[in-house]
Amino acid sequence: MTLYDEINALGGEPFAGDLRSAGRMENLDTVLAILDRRGLGPDGPTDDQLRQETDDILASLDWQEVRPEVRAFALLMEKQLKANDHKSGWKDDDPKALIGRLIDETHELIDVANTPATRPRAALKRMGQEAADVANFAMMIADVCGALGETK
């Protein structure tokens, strides 16, 4: 189960609020519940392990300054990536090869946009998925070029 899934399973908007904000103790309770379920409660790990896990959770909750559309699109991108988890990944790919895939995905998006829709709602959903694929290849290029900094 991903961190997002765990937070979401506890209810509420997974990226709502800021643990550092006054009056937002429900988010602290969420973090503590996740840490406890992962065996990282008071009787569990070393302080360094607990600090790292807490930092990871805080980083995932620190989305309040990101536009709602960007958050929603990032989740759509992740959904498209998860659908392709059976593939080898991109970390060792050549940026030029990824650019070629970006162009291919862009053509797929254009094809969907230019295809007459017999089912407009389904066509719009597919167009959104293809847009996320295009964005994912752009992200992969930025990642292998080092523009995203250190990622885990």
Side-chain angles (χ1 to χ4, degrees), residues 2-105:
T2 67
L3 178 59
Y4 174 86
D5 293 334
E6 287 186 281
I7 294 169
N8 200 34
L10 290 172
E13 177 66 30
F15 300 117
D18 181 345
L19 296 179
R20 295 169 296 265
S21 299
R24 301 305 295 221
M25 293 307 291
E26 66 275 7
N27 287 333
L28 179 57
D29 291 339
T30 297
V31 171
L32 293 175
I34 293 168
L35 290 172
D36 190 50
R37 283 202 333 240
R38 289 187 176 187
L40 298 172
D43 299 325
T46 67
D47 287 345
D48 287 340
Q49 290 170 314
L50 184 60
R51 192 172 296 112
Q52 181 61 51
E53 188 73 16
T54 302
D55 287 347
D56 292 346
I57 292 169
L58 289 173
S60 73
L61 292 172
D62 193 22
W63 279 66
Q64 66 275 4
E65 294 182 19
V66 176
R67 290 175 176 86
E69 299 85 357
V70 173
R71 285 192 305 236
F73 192 66
L75 292 173
L76 181 59
M77 289 173 64
E78 179 62 23
K79 184 177 179 181
Q80 290 299 104
L81 286 171
K82 283 184 185 291
N84 289 286
D85 273 349
H86 61 280
K87 297 179 182 176
S88 62
W90 66 88
K91 295 290 189 177
D92 296 322
D93 287 355
D94 179 71
K96 289 180 183 177
L98 290 170
I99 290 169
R101 290 289 293 129
L102 174 68
I103 292 168
D104 293 343
E105 290 297 332

Side-chain angles (χ1 to χ4, degrees), residues 72-147:
F73 192 66
L75 292 173
L76 181 59
M77 289 173 64
E78 179 62 23
K79 184 177 179 181
Q80 290 299 104
L81 286 171
K82 283 184 185 291
N84 289 286
D85 273 349
H86 61 280
K87 297 179 182 176
S88 62
W90 66 88
K91 295 290 189 177
D92 296 322
D93 287 355
D94 179 71
K96 289 180 183 177
L98 290 170
I99 290 169
R101 290 289 293 129
L102 174 68
I103 292 168
D104 293 343
E105 290 297 332
T106 303
H107 286 293
E108 288 180 26
L109 176 59
I110 293 167
D111 289 345
V112 170
N114 289 332
T115 302
T118 55
R119 296 176 33 219
R121 183 172 279 175
L124 289 174
K125 181 179 179 181
R126 176 130 187 267
M127 197 178 308
Q129 292 167 333
E130 292 297 337
D133 287 342
V134 170
N136 278 330
F137 277 96
M139 176 276 300
M140 292 173 197
I141 294 164
D143 187 27
V144 298
C145 292

